[in-house]
Amino acid sequence: MNLTYKEAEQFLFEQLPVFSSIGAPAYKNNLDTTRQLDNYFHNPHKNYKTIHIAGTNGKGSVSNFIASVLQEAGYKTGLYTSPHILDFKERIRINGQKITEQFVKDFVNKYSEIFQPMHPSFFELTSAMCFEYFSQEKVDVGVIEVGMGGRLDSTNIITPILSVITNIALDHTQFLGTTLKEIAGEKAGIIKKGVPVVIGESDIKTNSVFLAKADELEAPIILASNQMSATSGQISEDGTQVFNVFRCGEPVYHGLKCSQLGVYQQKNIVTALSALEQLQRLGLNISEQNIYDGFKNVNKNTGFYGRWQIVSQNPLTVCDTGHNYAGFQYNVNQINSQKCNQLRIVIGFVKDKDIASILRILPKNAIYYFVNANIKRALLAEELKRQAEYFGLVGKAYSSVKEGFDAAKNDASEDDFIFVGGSNFVVSEAF
């Protein structure tokens, strides 16, 4: 094959099953193809240290925080996250720089004939691409975010120096289980023999699952939220969110600035700090100043965006990729605390989410712009409008994100507040 970059990207999205677009048909309940690919490339992930991060919410934030601090500490740091918002290359970064178009093009052209008999999914192939890219570029550390679940995720062939599980909530229940314990069991699948694991948010319903798995595998376990807490963030003059962090009531990180503005980062910061302290114990040379600088510069260092992202002022307009009930609880609290003349919400979901629980908690004083993203999994705007009306949410349906977002901006006065969210795909099209 002799594809251009655009053609190679198109091959990845159109020739391979992509979960984000089609859902269940792209999901595999084994790691057979992943291992085939890994063996073909001679296990490239073994050529550098890895940190493995799972969780229902917050794993992207925690991954970026850790990667940013490692960069500040002078480590050449690979970062693998998903999904992307605007550009496929966002998924695979080294020190904040996206994977090159040349590598993607060469990878697809050189190996496509080998891939095709294996019938890999999009995520299986991009994971293999990531591991090989990090190896060829000789990273010191790869921060690897789980795509979905843990036990059967394509990233779960690695043996990291540290595992992290941010939290557990109901999401992807058709694959991971319908109870918190079942979902915890899937995410506990990333725990490896003898490898320390940090559990971010402790929960009496799920702690027993993690403790049992860690005991079985003789893996030291740290329950971060049992040891540390952070005050809710205040916005400083330089536009960062400022936290004070305590361990057992004693201050340990005072005036920790974070360039991420979502109030939910209060939880993620505790998880990330606990993980970073474990990395220090494992011998990584990370100073306290590296930690302060890493959180303050995370957006610049890793290219992190899409979480409580202010995209414009007058009217204040915010996008957030939170897409399940647990994530929306934080978003709704922050939306409700925002002073404005009129709240306007541009929102859309995918079909396989439990949206009733989210619609139930959304503000009833908002004007809604119901939209559907341009993907097969999108819930049609008219159907979303119908379901939302049952919960007292009033607005109009629009056939595209652009149409709905443009309508909200046209309707708004300077002192209104526009929130855009519901799924990564809505935020992507809004950007």
Side-chain angles (χ1 to χ4, degrees):
M1 296 177 74
N2 188 26
L3 304 177
T4 65
Y5 169 73
K6 282 297 180 187
E7 289 168 339
E9 185 183 58
Q10 190 174 19
F11 171 88
L12 292 171
F13 284 114
E14 295 183 2
Q15 300 301 314
L16 307 177
V18 183
F19 177 84
S20 60
S21 297
I22 64 175
Y27 179 73
K28 294 186 183 179
N29 62 353
N30 61 68
L31 295 175
D32 295 348
T33 307
T34 296
R35 291 197 175 99
Q36 276 186 281
L37 288 165
D38 189 47
N39 289 335
Y40 180 82
F41 289 107
H42 306 292
N43 321 114
H45 53 85
K46 294 183 179 180
N47 296 332
Y48 43 89
K49 295 180 175 70
T50 54
I51 299 159
H52 206 190
I53 302 175
T56 304
N57 293 309
K59 59 185 183 290
S61 295
V62 171
S63 297
N64 277 270
F65 291 152
I66 292 172
S68 179
V69 171
L70 290 173
Q71 286 173 230
E72 293 286 351
Y75 291 98
K76 188 173 184 179
T77 305
L79 176 62
Y80 181 45
T81 58
S82 61
H84 62 274
I85 295 179
L86 288 178
D87 178 4
F88 166 77
K89 301 188 298 297
E90 294 169 10
R91 294 169 175 256
I92 303 171
R93 297 176 183 262
I94 297 176
N95 284 0
Q97 299 302 306
K98 293 180 283 190
I99 188 172
T100 65
E101 291 188 359
Q102 187 70 46
F103 188 92
V104 176
K105 181 181 74 169
D106 290 348
F107 188 85
V108 173
N109 282 323
K110 187 174 181 180
Y111 300 115
S112 59
E113 290 184 6
I114 295 154
F115 301 151
Q116 287 172 333
M118 299 183 191
H119 302 293
S121 70
F122 171 86
F123 193 72
E124 287 170 333
L125 193 55
T126 53
S127 296
M129 183 191 298
C130 166
F131 293 148
E132 178 67 7
Y133 184 61
F134 288 172
S135 178
Q136 289 192 24
E137 293 296 314
K138 295 181 170 54
V139 301
D140 299 313
V141 187
V143 180
I144 310 297
E145 180 194 0
V146 167
M148 182 175 70
R151 180 176 65 93
L152 297 175
D153 190 76
S154 296
T155 63
N156 201 30
I157 56 172
I158 66 176
T159 299
I161 60 171
L162 179 69
S163 304
V164 181
I165 302 172
T166 57
N167 60 22
I168 301 297
L170 296 176
D171 200 12
H172 299 299
T173 53
Q174 68 272 47
F175 307 111
L176 306 181
T178 56
T179 68
L180 293 178
K181 276 198 168 185
E182 288 174 335
I183 294 172
E186 289 298 309
K187 296 188 188 295
I190 73 164
I191 300 174
K192 302 296 193 300
K193 187 171 180 62
V195 175
V197 56
V198 172
I199 308 300
E201 297 177 43
S202 292
D203 189 307
I204 194 169
K205 296 175 184 175
T206 57
N207 279 356
S208 60
V209 175
F210 299 130
L211 291 166
K213 190 67 172 179
D215 183 60
E216 173 193 337
L217 296 174
E218 299 176 331
I221 185 168
I222 302 92
L223 303 177
S225 62
N226 285 6
Q227 300 178 1
M228 277 195 219
S229 62
T231 59
S232 56
Q234 301 295 320
I235 304 302
S236 68
E237 290 182 1
D238 61 8
T240 58
Q241 189 173 193
V242 185
F243 296 91
N244 293 317
V245 182
F246 300 84
R247 180 184 287 108
C248 302
E250 296 296 320
V252 282
Y253 297 96
H254 179 74
L256 183 72
K257 292 186 174 183
C258 179
S259 52
Q260 285 289 303
L261 301 181
V263 294
Y264 46 77
Q265 300 300 4
Q266 179 182 359
K267 304 282 188 181
N268 296 328
I269 278 173
V270 167
T271 305
L273 285 171
S274 184
L276 288 162
E277 290 184 351
Q278 289 306 307
L279 293 174
Q280 289 173 321
R281 294 186 183 100
L282 290 166
L284 273 69
N285 187 18
I286 301 168
S287 70
E288 185 174 279
Q289 191 61 51
N290 295 152
I291 290 173
Y292 275 88
D293 291 343
F295 282 95
K296 182 179 179 181
N297 299 326
V298 61
N299 295 359
K300 180 179 71 175
N301 285 349
T302 70
F304 190 34
Y305 73 112
R307 276 70 166 182
W308 203 263
Q309 181 89 28
I310 297 174
V311 295
S312 64
Q313 302 280 356
N314 304 319
L316 179 63
T317 304
V318 167
C319 289
D320 193 279
T321 56
H323 54 272
N324 54 40
Y325 174 74
F328 258 94
Q329 284 182 301
Y330 290 109
N331 278 340
V332 168
N333 288 338
Q334 194 160 1
I335 289 168
N336 287 335
S337 68
Q338 183 68 49
K339 293 180 180 178
C340 66
N341 174 55
Q342 176 63 60
L343 173 60
R344 301 178 186 275
I345 296 181
V346 181
I347 197 162
F349 295 96
V350 292
K351 294 174 186 174
D352 50 6
K353 293 291 179 185
D354 171 24
I355 66 166
S357 61
I358 298 172
L359 295 174
R360 186 176 289 113
I361 63 172
L362 288 177
K364 292 180 172 53
N365 63 333
I367 296 172
Y368 285 85
Y369 301 77
F370 303 108
V371 299
N372 50 260
N374 186 29
I375 59 165
K376 292 179 182 177
R377 283 174 68 209
L379 180 67
L380 292 178
E382 286 290 351
E383 173 60 18
L384 175 57
K385 177 177 179 288
R386 187 189 67 77
Q387 293 188 38
E389 286 172 346
Y390 178 81
F391 295 96
L393 308 180
V394 178
K396 294 180 180 178
Y398 297 86
S399 59
S400 71
V401 174
K402 183 182 187 309
E403 189 181 347
F405 191 25
D406 285 348
K409 290 186 287 187
N410 289 336
D411 293 346
S413 63
E414 286 192 355
D415 51 359
D416 286 357
F417 175 47
I418 301 174
F419 176 84
V420 183
S423 81
N424 285 281
F425 312 104
V426 169
V427 171
S428 173
E429 292 185 33
F431 273 118

